C-alpha cells in the first residue's frame, strides 16, 4: 500500500487519515477472527495481512509526526489527534493479540 | 423539499462528529434542509429508525452486514463512508454519497 506524505494535508486531514487507515485495519482484524471462527483459515490469514498493510500506512503517518517533532517542528495538539493516535495504538495491540490468538488456535487444531 | 435525515455511526462518535459539521455546512450552502448527526456504534441501531440513510465509519465496516439487516426493517440504505471522503474529512463528498444512496442524485 502506498505510503502517505503529510505535506499537503491539514492537521485535521492528518488525523482523519490516521483514523481511516487504523479503522480499516480494525475492521479487518475483527473480520479475520470471525472468518477463522467460520472455518475459513486462509481468508482469516489474508485479512490479517491486509490489516497489517493498513496499519503500516497509519504507522507511517504517526512516524512522520514524531520525526517532525524530533526536528523541533511541533504539530498542533488537538483532542482529535489524540483520538486518532488512540485508534492506531489500540488497533496495533488488537492486531498483535488476534494474531497470537489465531496461532494458538491453529496449534491446538481448533 | 423533504428534510433529509442522515445518521453517521462510528465506534465512539467522535471522528464522525467533525464530518457531520462539515456536511451540515455544505448542505446549508446549497440550501438543503437536513438533519445530520453522529452516534457511537451502540446507539446506531436505535437511532436508525429516525434516519433516511446511515453512513458508517471505516472502523465499523465489519458491522455493515449486521447494520444492514437492521436497516432493512426501515427500508433505508447503509454504507461505509467513502474512503477518500473520510480521509480528507470532505463534507461535500460525504454528503453527496448520502444523497446518492438515498437515490436523490
Amino acid at each position: 500500500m502506498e505510503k502517505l506524505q503529510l505535506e499537503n494535508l491539514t492537521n485535521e486531514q492528518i488525523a482523519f487519515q490516521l483514523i481511516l487507515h487504523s479503522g480499516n485495519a480494525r475492521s479487518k482484524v475483527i473480520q479475520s477472527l470471525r472468518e477463522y471462527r467460520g472455518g475459513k483459515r486462509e481468508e482469516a490469514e489474508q485479512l490479517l495481512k491486509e490489516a497489517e498493510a493498513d496499519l503500516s500506512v497509519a504507522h507511517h503517518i504517526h512516524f512522520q509526526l514524531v520525526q517532525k517533532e524530533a526536528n523541533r517542528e511541533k504539530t498542533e495538539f488537538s483532542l482529535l489527534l489524540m483520538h486518532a493516535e488512540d485508534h492506531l495504538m489500540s488497533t496495533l495491540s488488537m492486531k498483535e493479540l488476534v494474531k497470537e490468538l489465531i496461532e494458538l488456535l491453529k496449534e491446538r487444531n481448533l | 423539499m423533504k428534510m433529509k435525515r442522515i445518521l453517521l455511526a462510528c465506534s465512539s462518535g467522535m471522528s464522525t462528529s467533525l464530518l457531520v459539521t462539515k456536511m451540515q455546512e455544505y448542505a446549508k450552502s446549497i440550501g438543503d434542509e437536513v438533519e445530520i448527526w453522529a452516534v457511537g456504534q451502540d446507539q446506531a441501531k436505535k437511532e436508525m429508525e429516525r434516519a433516511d440513510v446511515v453512513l458508517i465509519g471505516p472502523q465499523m465496516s465489519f458491522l455493515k452486514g449486521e447494520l444492514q439487516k437492521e436497516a432493512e426493517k426501515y427500508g433505508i440504505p447503509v454504507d461505509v463512508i467513502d474512503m477518500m471522503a473520510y480521509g480528507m474529512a470532505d463534507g461535500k463528498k460525504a454528503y453527496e454519497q448520502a444523497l446518492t444512496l438515498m437515490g436523490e442524485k
Side-chain angles (χ1 to χ4, degrees), chain A residues 8-9 12-13 16-17 19-20 23-24 26-27 30-31 34 79-80 83 87, chain B residues 11-12 14-15 18-19 22 41 58-62 66 83 86-89:
Chain A
N8 302 317
L9 299 176
E12 201 175 272
Q13 285 169 339
F16 267 81
Q17 288 287 340
I19 301 173
L20 169 69
N24 283 339
R26 180 176 187 266
S27 282
I30 297 173
Q31 199 56 44
R34 289 189 176 174
L79 194 56
L80 182 67
H83 179 66
H87 261 288
Chain B
S11 53
S12 62
M14 172 154 179
S15 58
L18 187 70
L19 200 58
K22 297 194 154 204
Q41 72 184 61
Q59 67 275 40
M60 301 257 297
S61 60
F62 69 99
E66 205 177 300
M83 283 220 247
Y86 191 88
M88 301 307 279

PDB file of all heavy atoms in Angstrom, chain A residues 8-9 12-13 16-17 19-20 23-24 26-27 30-31 34 79-80 83 87, chain B residues 11-12 14-15 18-19 22 41 58-62 66 83 86-89:
ATOM      1  N   ASN A   8       0.874  17.902   2.071  1.00  0.00           N
ATOM      2  CA  ASN A   8      -0.279  18.623   1.523  1.00  0.00           C
ATOM      3  C   ASN A   8      -1.557  18.476   2.336  1.00  0.00           C
ATOM      4  O   ASN A   8      -2.632  18.820   1.871  1.00  0.00           O
ATOM      5  CB  ASN A   8      -0.536  18.156   0.081  1.00  0.00           C
ATOM      6  CG  ASN A   8       0.678  18.382  -0.789  1.00  0.00           C
ATOM      7  OD1 ASN A   8       1.314  19.436  -0.697  1.00  0.00           O
ATOM      8  ND2 ASN A   8       1.034  17.395  -1.594  1.00  0.00           N
ATOM      9  N   LEU A   9      -1.413  17.968   3.554  1.00  0.00           N
ATOM     10  CA  LEU A   9      -2.615  17.741   4.351  1.00  0.00           C
ATOM     11  C   LEU A   9      -2.720  18.743   5.502  1.00  0.00           C
ATOM     12  O   LEU A   9      -1.712  19.160   6.069  1.00  0.00           O
ATOM     13  CB  LEU A   9      -2.596  16.323   4.933  1.00  0.00           C
ATOM     14  CG  LEU A   9      -2.579  15.159   3.936  1.00  0.00           C
ATOM     15  CD1 LEU A   9      -2.452  13.847   4.679  1.00  0.00           C
ATOM     16  CD2 LEU A   9      -3.835  15.156   3.087  1.00  0.00           C
ATOM     17  N   GLU A  12      -6.230  18.483  10.462  1.00  0.00           N
ATOM     18  CA  GLU A  12      -7.463  17.723  10.563  1.00  0.00           C
ATOM     19  C   GLU A  12      -7.428  16.503   9.633  1.00  0.00           C
ATOM     20  O   GLU A  12      -7.794  15.397  10.026  1.00  0.00           O
ATOM     21  CB  GLU A  12      -8.575  18.664  10.131  1.00  0.00           C
ATOM     22  CG  GLU A  12      -9.934  18.321  10.582  1.00  0.00           C
ATOM     23  CD  GLU A  12     -10.853  19.440  10.154  1.00  0.00           C
ATOM     24  OE1 GLU A  12     -10.986  20.406  10.924  1.00  0.00           O
ATOM     25  OE2 GLU A  12     -11.402  19.368   9.037  1.00  0.00           O
ATOM     26  N   GLN A  13      -6.950  16.723   8.420  1.00  0.00           N
ATOM     27  CA  GLN A  13      -6.888  15.613   7.464  1.00  0.00           C
ATOM     28  C   GLN A  13      -5.880  14.560   7.907  1.00  0.00           C
ATOM     29  O   GLN A  13      -6.106  13.365   7.708  1.00  0.00           O
ATOM     30  CB  GLN A  13      -6.538  16.143   6.070  1.00  0.00           C
ATOM     31  CG  GLN A  13      -7.724  16.851   5.409  1.00  0.00           C
ATOM     32  CD  GLN A  13      -7.332  17.619   4.158  1.00  0.00           C
ATOM     33  OE1 GLN A  13      -6.166  17.962   3.972  1.00  0.00           O
ATOM     34  NE2 GLN A  13      -8.302  17.888   3.304  1.00  0.00           N
ATOM     35  N   PHE A  16      -7.664  12.455  10.321  1.00  0.00           N
ATOM     36  CA  PHE A  16      -8.638  11.593   9.644  1.00  0.00           C
ATOM     37  C   PHE A  16      -7.959  10.461   8.871  1.00  0.00           C
ATOM     38  O   PHE A  16      -8.488   9.352   8.802  1.00  0.00           O
ATOM     39  CB  PHE A  16      -9.538  12.413   8.711  1.00  0.00           C
ATOM     40  CG  PHE A  16     -10.801  12.864   9.388  1.00  0.00           C
ATOM     41  CD1 PHE A  16     -10.804  13.971  10.211  1.00  0.00           C
ATOM     42  CD2 PHE A  16     -11.979  12.148   9.241  1.00  0.00           C
ATOM     43  CE1 PHE A  16     -11.959  14.361  10.876  1.00  0.00           C
ATOM     44  CE2 PHE A  16     -13.144  12.538   9.893  1.00  0.00           C
ATOM     45  CZ  PHE A  16     -13.131  13.645  10.707  1.00  0.00           C
ATOM     46  N   GLN A  17      -6.803  10.744   8.302  1.00  0.00           N
ATOM     47  CA  GLN A  17      -6.079   9.686   7.595  1.00  0.00           C
ATOM     48  C   GLN A  17      -5.641   8.602   8.584  1.00  0.00           C
ATOM     49  O   GLN A  17      -5.704   7.410   8.275  1.00  0.00           O
ATOM     50  CB  GLN A  17      -4.851  10.262   6.877  1.00  0.00           C
ATOM     51  CG  GLN A  17      -5.181  11.113   5.661  1.00  0.00           C
ATOM     52  CD  GLN A  17      -5.660  10.283   4.476  1.00  0.00           C
ATOM     53  OE1 GLN A  17      -5.427   9.093   4.395  1.00  0.00           O
ATOM     54  NE2 GLN A  17      -6.363  10.931   3.555  1.00  0.00           N
ATOM     55  N   ILE A  19      -7.124   7.836  11.385  1.00  0.00           N
ATOM     56  CA  ILE A  19      -8.310   7.073  11.793  1.00  0.00           C
ATOM     57  C   ILE A  19      -8.780   6.164  10.662  1.00  0.00           C
ATOM     58  O   ILE A  19      -9.156   5.017  10.888  1.00  0.00           O
ATOM     59  CB  ILE A  19      -9.460   8.011  12.236  1.00  0.00           C
ATOM     60  CG1 ILE A  19      -9.005   8.893  13.396  1.00  0.00           C
ATOM     61  CG2 ILE A  19     -10.684   7.198  12.654  1.00  0.00           C
ATOM     62  CD1 ILE A  19      -9.994   9.970  13.789  1.00  0.00           C
ATOM     63  N   LEU A  20      -8.722   6.691   9.447  1.00  0.00           N
ATOM     64  CA  LEU A  20      -9.165   5.896   8.294  1.00  0.00           C
ATOM     65  C   LEU A  20      -8.376   4.593   8.170  1.00  0.00           C
ATOM     66  O   LEU A  20      -8.957   3.507   8.112  1.00  0.00           O
ATOM     67  CB  LEU A  20      -9.011   6.716   7.007  1.00  0.00           C
ATOM     68  CG  LEU A  20      -9.190   5.945   5.685  1.00  0.00           C
ATOM     69  CD1 LEU A  20     -10.635   5.519   5.503  1.00  0.00           C
ATOM     70  CD2 LEU A  20      -8.754   6.784   4.498  1.00  0.00           C
ATOM     71  N   GLY A  23      -8.720   2.443  11.179  1.00  0.00           N
ATOM     72  CA  GLY A  23     -10.098   1.948  11.197  1.00  0.00           C
ATOM     73  C   GLY A  23     -10.307   0.807  10.222  1.00  0.00           C
ATOM     74  O   GLY A  23     -10.960  -0.187  10.551  1.00  0.00           O
ATOM     75  N   ASN A  24      -9.748   0.946   9.030  1.00  0.00           N
ATOM     76  CA  ASN A  24      -9.838  -0.152   8.059  1.00  0.00           C
ATOM     77  C   ASN A  24      -9.175  -1.395   8.631  1.00  0.00           C
ATOM     78  O   ASN A  24      -9.694  -2.510   8.506  1.00  0.00           O
ATOM     79  CB  ASN A  24      -9.146   0.237   6.752  1.00  0.00           C
ATOM     80  CG  ASN A  24      -9.994   1.172   5.907  1.00  0.00           C
ATOM     81  OD1 ASN A  24     -11.206   1.234   6.065  1.00  0.00           O
ATOM     82  ND2 ASN A  24      -9.363   1.898   5.010  1.00  0.00           N
ATOM     83  N   ARG A  26      -8.744  -2.150  11.798  1.00  0.00           N
ATOM     84  CA  ARG A  26      -9.549  -2.656  12.914  1.00  0.00           C
ATOM     85  C   ARG A  26     -10.677  -3.563  12.401  1.00  0.00           C
ATOM     86  O   ARG A  26     -10.913  -4.655  12.915  1.00  0.00           O
ATOM     87  CB  ARG A  26     -10.130  -1.482  13.699  1.00  0.00           C
ATOM     88  CG  ARG A  26     -10.980  -1.875  14.874  1.00  0.00           C
ATOM     89  CD  ARG A  26     -11.426  -0.627  15.623  1.00  0.00           C
ATOM     90  NE  ARG A  26     -12.116  -0.962  16.843  1.00  0.00           N
ATOM     91  CZ  ARG A  26     -13.438  -1.064  16.941  1.00  0.00           C
ATOM     92  NH1 ARG A  26     -14.189  -0.866  15.893  1.00  0.00           N
ATOM     93  NH2 ARG A  26     -13.994  -1.380  18.095  1.00  0.00           N
ATOM     94  N   SER A  27     -11.351  -3.087  11.367  1.00  0.00           N
ATOM     95  CA  SER A  27     -12.433  -3.880  10.797  1.00  0.00           C
ATOM     96  C   SER A  27     -11.918  -5.215  10.280  1.00  0.00           C
ATOM     97  O   SER A  27     -12.542  -6.258  10.466  1.00  0.00           O
ATOM     98  CB  SER A  27     -13.090  -3.129   9.650  1.00  0.00           C
ATOM     99  OG  SER A  27     -13.952  -2.151  10.154  1.00  0.00           O
ATOM    100  N   ILE A  30     -10.990  -7.744  13.139  1.00  0.00           N
ATOM    101  CA  ILE A  30     -12.178  -8.386  13.716  1.00  0.00           C
ATOM    102  C   ILE A  30     -12.772  -9.382  12.721  1.00  0.00           C
ATOM    103  O   ILE A  30     -13.138 -10.508  13.082  1.00  0.00           O
ATOM    104  CB  ILE A  30     -13.230  -7.328  14.127  1.00  0.00           C
ATOM    105  CG1 ILE A  30     -12.637  -6.435  15.222  1.00  0.00           C
ATOM    106  CG2 ILE A  30     -14.515  -7.987  14.617  1.00  0.00           C
ATOM    107  CD1 ILE A  30     -13.493  -5.259  15.603  1.00  0.00           C
ATOM    108  N   GLN A  31     -12.833  -8.961  11.463  1.00  0.00           N
ATOM    109  CA  GLN A  31     -13.362  -9.846  10.433  1.00  0.00           C
ATOM    110  C   GLN A  31     -12.517 -11.111  10.311  1.00  0.00           C
ATOM    111  O   GLN A  31     -13.044 -12.211  10.109  1.00  0.00           O
ATOM    112  CB  GLN A  31     -13.399  -9.087   9.086  1.00  0.00           C
ATOM    113  CG  GLN A  31     -14.325  -9.695   8.047  1.00  0.00           C
ATOM    114  CD  GLN A  31     -15.751  -9.832   8.546  1.00  0.00           C
ATOM    115  OE1 GLN A  31     -16.277  -8.922   9.154  1.00  0.00           O
ATOM    116  NE2 GLN A  31     -16.360 -10.987   8.319  1.00  0.00           N
ATOM    117  N   ARG A  34     -13.459 -13.550  12.891  1.00  0.00           N
ATOM    118  CA  ARG A  34     -14.779 -14.113  12.552  1.00  0.00           C
ATOM    119  C   ARG A  34     -14.674 -15.163  11.444  1.00  0.00           C
ATOM    120  O   ARG A  34     -15.352 -16.178  11.480  1.00  0.00           O
ATOM    121  CB  ARG A  34     -15.735 -12.995  12.119  1.00  0.00           C
ATOM    122  CG  ARG A  34     -16.134 -12.129  13.299  1.00  0.00           C
ATOM    123  CD  ARG A  34     -17.229 -11.167  12.924  1.00  0.00           C
ATOM    124  NE  ARG A  34     -17.643 -10.412  14.095  1.00  0.00           N
ATOM    125  CZ  ARG A  34     -18.501  -9.409  14.074  1.00  0.00           C
ATOM    126  NH1 ARG A  34     -19.037  -9.026  12.941  1.00  0.00           N
ATOM    127  NH2 ARG A  34     -18.830  -8.793  15.179  1.00  0.00           N
ATOM    128  N   LEU A  79      -7.582  17.372  20.521  1.00  0.00           N
ATOM    129  CA  LEU A  79      -8.225  16.157  21.022  1.00  0.00           C
ATOM    130  C   LEU A  79      -8.428  15.164  19.879  1.00  0.00           C
ATOM    131  O   LEU A  79      -8.299  13.952  20.056  1.00  0.00           O
ATOM    132  CB  LEU A  79      -9.566  16.535  21.650  1.00  0.00           C
ATOM    133  CG  LEU A  79     -10.218  15.461  22.514  1.00  0.00           C
ATOM    134  CD1 LEU A  79      -9.295  15.006  23.627  1.00  0.00           C
ATOM    135  CD2 LEU A  79     -11.511  15.999  23.103  1.00  0.00           C
ATOM    136  N   LEU A  80      -8.711  15.706  18.696  1.00  0.00           N
ATOM    137  CA  LEU A  80      -8.923  14.830  17.538  1.00  0.00           C
ATOM    138  C   LEU A  80      -7.664  14.028  17.203  1.00  0.00           C
ATOM    139  O   LEU A  80      -7.739  12.832  16.921  1.00  0.00           O
ATOM    140  CB  LEU A  80      -9.353  15.663  16.317  1.00  0.00           C
ATOM    141  CG  LEU A  80      -9.661  14.859  15.046  1.00  0.00           C
ATOM    142  CD1 LEU A  80     -10.908  14.007  15.222  1.00  0.00           C
ATOM    143  CD2 LEU A  80      -9.817  15.782  13.844  1.00  0.00           C
ATOM    144  N   HIS A  83      -7.253  11.364  19.736  1.00  0.00           N
ATOM    145  CA  HIS A  83      -8.224  10.314  19.439  1.00  0.00           C
ATOM    146  C   HIS A  83      -7.715   9.427  18.292  1.00  0.00           C
ATOM    147  O   HIS A  83      -7.830   8.199  18.329  1.00  0.00           O
ATOM    148  CB  HIS A  83      -9.542  10.973  19.059  1.00  0.00           C
ATOM    149  CG  HIS A  83     -10.642  10.027  18.709  1.00  0.00           C
ATOM    150  ND1 HIS A  83     -11.203   9.170  19.624  1.00  0.00           N
ATOM    151  CD2 HIS A  83     -11.284   9.810  17.540  1.00  0.00           C
ATOM    152  CE1 HIS A  83     -12.140   8.457  19.022  1.00  0.00           C
ATOM    153  NE2 HIS A  83     -12.217   8.817  17.764  1.00  0.00           N
ATOM    154  N   HIS A  87      -6.775   5.439  18.253  1.00  0.00           N
ATOM    155  CA  HIS A  87      -7.240   4.459  17.283  1.00  0.00           C
ATOM    156  C   HIS A  87      -6.092   3.579  16.813  1.00  0.00           C
ATOM    157  O   HIS A  87      -6.186   2.358  16.776  1.00  0.00           O
ATOM    158  CB  HIS A  87      -7.814   5.173  16.048  1.00  0.00           C
ATOM    159  CG  HIS A  87      -9.305   5.267  16.071  1.00  0.00           C
ATOM    160  ND1 HIS A  87     -10.105   4.173  15.872  1.00  0.00           N
ATOM    161  CD2 HIS A  87     -10.136   6.304  16.270  1.00  0.00           C
ATOM    162  CE1 HIS A  87     -11.361   4.551  15.943  1.00  0.00           C
ATOM    163  NE2 HIS A  87     -11.408   5.839  16.190  1.00  0.00           N
TER     164      HIS A  87
ATOM    165  N   SER B  11     -17.173   4.188  15.931  1.00  0.00           N
ATOM    166  CA  SER B  11     -17.074   3.476  17.204  1.00  0.00           C
ATOM    167  C   SER B  11     -17.380   4.370  18.402  1.00  0.00           C
ATOM    168  O   SER B  11     -18.041   3.964  19.329  1.00  0.00           O
ATOM    169  CB  SER B  11     -15.727   2.789  17.335  1.00  0.00           C
ATOM    170  OG  SER B  11     -14.698   3.711  17.109  1.00  0.00           O
ATOM    171  N   SER B  12     -16.901   5.611  18.359  1.00  0.00           N
ATOM    172  CA  SER B  12     -17.159   6.464  19.516  1.00  0.00           C
ATOM    173  C   SER B  12     -18.014   7.684  19.190  1.00  0.00           C
ATOM    174  O   SER B  12     -18.486   8.373  20.070  1.00  0.00           O
ATOM    175  CB  SER B  12     -15.835   6.929  20.115  1.00  0.00           C
ATOM    176  OG  SER B  12     -15.149   7.686  19.152  1.00  0.00           O
ATOM    177  N   MET B  14     -16.840  10.255  17.717  1.00  0.00           N
ATOM    178  CA  MET B  14     -16.024  11.468  17.764  1.00  0.00           C
ATOM    179  C   MET B  14     -15.558  11.939  16.382  1.00  0.00           C
ATOM    180  O   MET B  14     -15.780  13.078  16.001  1.00  0.00           O
ATOM    181  CB  MET B  14     -14.805  11.246  18.647  1.00  0.00           C
ATOM    182  CG  MET B  14     -13.861  12.408  18.536  1.00  0.00           C
ATOM    183  SD  MET B  14     -12.841  12.654  19.956  1.00  0.00           S
ATOM    184  CE  MET B  14     -11.888  14.055  19.386  1.00  0.00           C
ATOM    185  N   SER B  15     -14.888  11.043  15.647  1.00  0.00           N
ATOM    186  CA  SER B  15     -14.341  11.479  14.364  1.00  0.00           C
ATOM    187  C   SER B  15     -15.456  11.893  13.419  1.00  0.00           C
ATOM    188  O   SER B  15     -15.334  12.877  12.691  1.00  0.00           O
ATOM    189  CB  SER B  15     -13.504  10.376  13.738  1.00  0.00           C
ATOM    190  OG  SER B  15     -14.262   9.223  13.554  1.00  0.00           O
ATOM    191  N   LEU B  18     -17.049  15.597  13.537  1.00  0.00           N
ATOM    192  CA  LEU B  18     -16.450  16.675  12.767  1.00  0.00           C
ATOM    193  C   LEU B  18     -16.929  16.624  11.312  1.00  0.00           C
ATOM    194  O   LEU B  18     -17.210  17.639  10.695  1.00  0.00           O
ATOM    195  CB  LEU B  18     -14.925  16.549  12.811  1.00  0.00           C
ATOM    196  CG  LEU B  18     -14.185  17.710  12.188  1.00  0.00           C
ATOM    197  CD1 LEU B  18     -14.337  18.955  13.047  1.00  0.00           C
ATOM    198  CD2 LEU B  18     -12.717  17.377  12.024  1.00  0.00           C
ATOM    199  N   LEU B  19     -17.055  15.415  10.813  1.00  0.00           N
ATOM    200  CA  LEU B  19     -17.546  15.243   9.453  1.00  0.00           C
ATOM    201  C   LEU B  19     -18.993  15.737   9.354  1.00  0.00           C
ATOM    202  O   LEU B  19     -19.390  16.337   8.356  1.00  0.00           O
ATOM    203  CB  LEU B  19     -17.439  13.769   9.054  1.00  0.00           C
ATOM    204  CG  LEU B  19     -17.446  13.449   7.561  1.00  0.00           C
ATOM    205  CD1 LEU B  19     -16.311  14.166   6.841  1.00  0.00           C
ATOM    206  CD2 LEU B  19     -17.327  11.948   7.339  1.00  0.00           C
ATOM    207  N   LYS B  22     -19.097  19.395   8.883  1.00  0.00           N
ATOM    208  CA  LYS B  22     -18.736  19.778   7.516  1.00  0.00           C
ATOM    209  C   LYS B  22     -19.842  19.457   6.522  1.00  0.00           C
ATOM    210  O   LYS B  22     -20.077  20.193   5.574  1.00  0.00           O
ATOM    211  CB  LYS B  22     -17.450  19.069   7.107  1.00  0.00           C
ATOM    212  CG  LYS B  22     -16.298  19.490   7.975  1.00  0.00           C
ATOM    213  CD  LYS B  22     -14.998  19.055   7.367  1.00  0.00           C
ATOM    214  CE  LYS B  22     -13.889  19.971   7.849  1.00  0.00           C
ATOM    215  NZ  LYS B  22     -12.772  20.007   6.955  1.00  0.00           N
ATOM    216  N   GLN B  41     -21.236   3.261  18.071  1.00  0.00           N
ATOM    217  CA  GLN B  41     -21.797   2.043  17.484  1.00  0.00           C
ATOM    218  C   GLN B  41     -22.967   1.437  18.260  1.00  0.00           C
ATOM    219  O   GLN B  41     -23.855   0.849  17.685  1.00  0.00           O
ATOM    220  CB  GLN B  41     -20.710   0.995  17.244  1.00  0.00           C
ATOM    221  CG  GLN B  41     -20.156   0.331  18.468  1.00  0.00           C
ATOM    222  CD  GLN B  41     -19.012  -0.625  18.086  1.00  0.00           C
ATOM    223  OE1 GLN B  41     -18.005  -0.204  17.533  1.00  0.00           O
ATOM    224  NE2 GLN B  41     -19.170  -1.885  18.369  1.00  0.00           N
ATOM    225  N   PRO B  58     -15.009   3.846   8.790  1.00  0.00           N
ATOM    226  CA  PRO B  58     -14.213   2.693   8.346  1.00  0.00           C
ATOM    227  C   PRO B  58     -13.936   1.681   9.465  1.00  0.00           C
ATOM    228  O   PRO B  58     -13.857   0.478   9.205  1.00  0.00           O
ATOM    229  CB  PRO B  58     -12.908   3.328   7.853  1.00  0.00           C
ATOM    230  CG  PRO B  58     -12.884   4.700   8.399  1.00  0.00           C
ATOM    231  CD  PRO B  58     -14.299   5.119   8.567  1.00  0.00           C
ATOM    232  N   GLN B  59     -13.839   2.183  10.684  1.00  0.00           N
ATOM    233  CA  GLN B  59     -13.545   1.267  11.800  1.00  0.00           C
ATOM    234  C   GLN B  59     -14.743   0.390  12.151  1.00  0.00           C
ATOM    235  O   GLN B  59     -14.671  -0.484  12.996  1.00  0.00           O
ATOM    236  CB  GLN B  59     -13.033   2.047  13.021  1.00  0.00           C
ATOM    237  CG  GLN B  59     -14.022   2.961  13.688  1.00  0.00           C
ATOM    238  CD  GLN B  59     -14.094   4.330  13.035  1.00  0.00           C
ATOM    239  OE1 GLN B  59     -14.046   4.454  11.838  1.00  0.00           O
ATOM    240  NE2 GLN B  59     -14.227   5.376  13.835  1.00  0.00           N
ATOM    241  N   MET B  60     -15.873   0.673  11.489  1.00  0.00           N
ATOM    242  CA  MET B  60     -17.095  -0.090  11.753  1.00  0.00           C
ATOM    243  C   MET B  60     -17.509  -0.939  10.567  1.00  0.00           C
ATOM    244  O   MET B  60     -18.578  -1.543  10.596  1.00  0.00           O
ATOM    245  CB  MET B  60     -18.248   0.886  12.001  1.00  0.00           C
ATOM    246  CG  MET B  60     -18.038   1.814  13.136  1.00  0.00           C
ATOM    247  SD  MET B  60     -18.977   1.256  14.504  1.00  0.00           S
ATOM    248  CE  MET B  60     -20.621   1.401  13.844  1.00  0.00           C
ATOM    249  N   SER B  61     -16.695  -0.964   9.528  1.00  0.00           N
ATOM    250  CA  SER B  61     -17.170  -1.615   8.309  1.00  0.00           C
ATOM    251  C   SER B  61     -17.472  -3.097   8.518  1.00  0.00           C
ATOM    252  O   SER B  61     -18.293  -3.665   7.825  1.00  0.00           O
ATOM    253  CB  SER B  61     -16.184  -1.401   7.159  1.00  0.00           C
ATOM    254  OG  SER B  61     -14.931  -1.945   7.490  1.00  0.00           O
ATOM    255  N   PHE B  62     -16.833  -3.702   9.532  1.00  0.00           N
ATOM    256  CA  PHE B  62     -17.136  -5.112   9.804  1.00  0.00           C
ATOM    257  C   PHE B  62     -18.564  -5.299  10.317  1.00  0.00           C
ATOM    258  O   PHE B  62     -19.078  -6.410  10.339  1.00  0.00           O
ATOM    259  CB  PHE B  62     -16.129  -5.701  10.812  1.00  0.00           C
ATOM    260  CG  PHE B  62     -16.269  -5.152  12.197  1.00  0.00           C
ATOM    261  CD1 PHE B  62     -16.967  -5.857  13.167  1.00  0.00           C
ATOM    262  CD2 PHE B  62     -15.710  -3.935  12.540  1.00  0.00           C
ATOM    263  CE1 PHE B  62     -17.114  -5.348  14.445  1.00  0.00           C
ATOM    264  CE2 PHE B  62     -15.844  -3.421  13.813  1.00  0.00           C
ATOM    265  CZ  PHE B  62     -16.544  -4.127  14.765  1.00  0.00           C
ATOM    266  N   GLU B  66     -24.452  -6.517   9.655  1.00  0.00           N
ATOM    267  CA  GLU B  66     -25.344  -6.514  10.814  1.00  0.00           C
ATOM    268  C   GLU B  66     -26.271  -5.290  10.804  1.00  0.00           C
ATOM    269  O   GLU B  66     -27.475  -5.397  11.039  1.00  0.00           O
ATOM    270  CB  GLU B  66     -24.472  -6.468  12.068  1.00  0.00           C
ATOM    271  CG  GLU B  66     -25.094  -7.017  13.314  1.00  0.00           C
ATOM    272  CD  GLU B  66     -24.066  -6.971  14.453  1.00  0.00           C
ATOM    273  OE1 GLU B  66     -23.000  -7.606  14.309  1.00  0.00           O
ATOM    274  OE2 GLU B  66     -24.327  -6.282  15.431  1.00  0.00           O
ATOM    275  N   MET B  83     -13.844   6.190   1.299  1.00  0.00           N
ATOM    276  CA  MET B  83     -12.534   6.352   1.922  1.00  0.00           C
ATOM    277  C   MET B  83     -11.890   7.695   1.636  1.00  0.00           C
ATOM    278  O   MET B  83     -11.261   8.292   2.495  1.00  0.00           O
ATOM    279  CB  MET B  83     -11.607   5.244   1.438  1.00  0.00           C
ATOM    280  CG  MET B  83     -11.895   3.941   2.111  1.00  0.00           C
ATOM    281  SD  MET B  83     -10.335   3.169   2.444  1.00  0.00           S
ATOM    282  CE  MET B  83     -10.443   1.788   1.372  1.00  0.00           C
ATOM    283  N   TYR B  86     -13.735  10.338   3.658  1.00  0.00           N
ATOM    284  CA  TYR B  86     -13.406  10.253   5.077  1.00  0.00           C
ATOM    285  C   TYR B  86     -11.983  10.726   5.351  1.00  0.00           C
ATOM    286  O   TYR B  86     -11.747  11.573   6.216  1.00  0.00           O
ATOM    287  CB  TYR B  86     -13.579   8.812   5.569  1.00  0.00           C
ATOM    288  CG  TYR B  86     -13.521   8.701   7.067  1.00  0.00           C
ATOM    289  CD1 TYR B  86     -14.674   8.843   7.831  1.00  0.00           C
ATOM    290  CD2 TYR B  86     -12.315   8.490   7.715  1.00  0.00           C
ATOM    291  CE1 TYR B  86     -14.620   8.769   9.210  1.00  0.00           C
ATOM    292  CE2 TYR B  86     -12.251   8.418   9.092  1.00  0.00           C
ATOM    293  CZ  TYR B  86     -13.408   8.554   9.835  1.00  0.00           C
ATOM    294  OH  TYR B  86     -13.342   8.500  11.191  1.00  0.00           O
ATOM    295  N   GLY B  87     -11.048  10.191   4.579  1.00  0.00           N
ATOM    296  CA  GLY B  87      -9.633  10.500   4.802  1.00  0.00           C
ATOM    297  C   GLY B  87      -9.299  11.975   4.643  1.00  0.00           C
ATOM    298  O   GLY B  87      -8.381  12.481   5.271  1.00  0.00           O
ATOM    299  N   MET B  88     -10.060  12.668   3.795  1.00  0.00           N
ATOM    300  CA  MET B  88      -9.799  14.086   3.603  1.00  0.00           C
ATOM    301  C   MET B  88     -10.792  14.936   4.395  1.00  0.00           C
ATOM    302  O   MET B  88     -10.820  16.158   4.232  1.00  0.00           O
ATOM    303  CB  MET B  88      -9.871  14.451   2.113  1.00  0.00           C
ATOM    304  CG  MET B  88      -8.886  13.694   1.229  1.00  0.00           C
ATOM    305  SD  MET B  88      -7.185  13.797   1.814  1.00  0.00           S
ATOM    306  CE  MET B  88      -6.725  15.400   1.160  1.00  0.00           C
ATOM    307  N   ALA B  89     -11.583  14.297   5.242  1.00  0.00           N
ATOM    308  CA  ALA B  89     -12.622  14.999   6.010  1.00  0.00           C
ATOM    309  C   ALA B  89     -13.437  15.907   5.081  1.00  0.00           C
ATOM    310  O   ALA B  89     -13.655  17.080   5.361  1.00  0.00           O
ATOM    311  CB  ALA B  89     -11.999  15.792   7.154  1.00  0.00           C
TER     312      ALA B  89
END
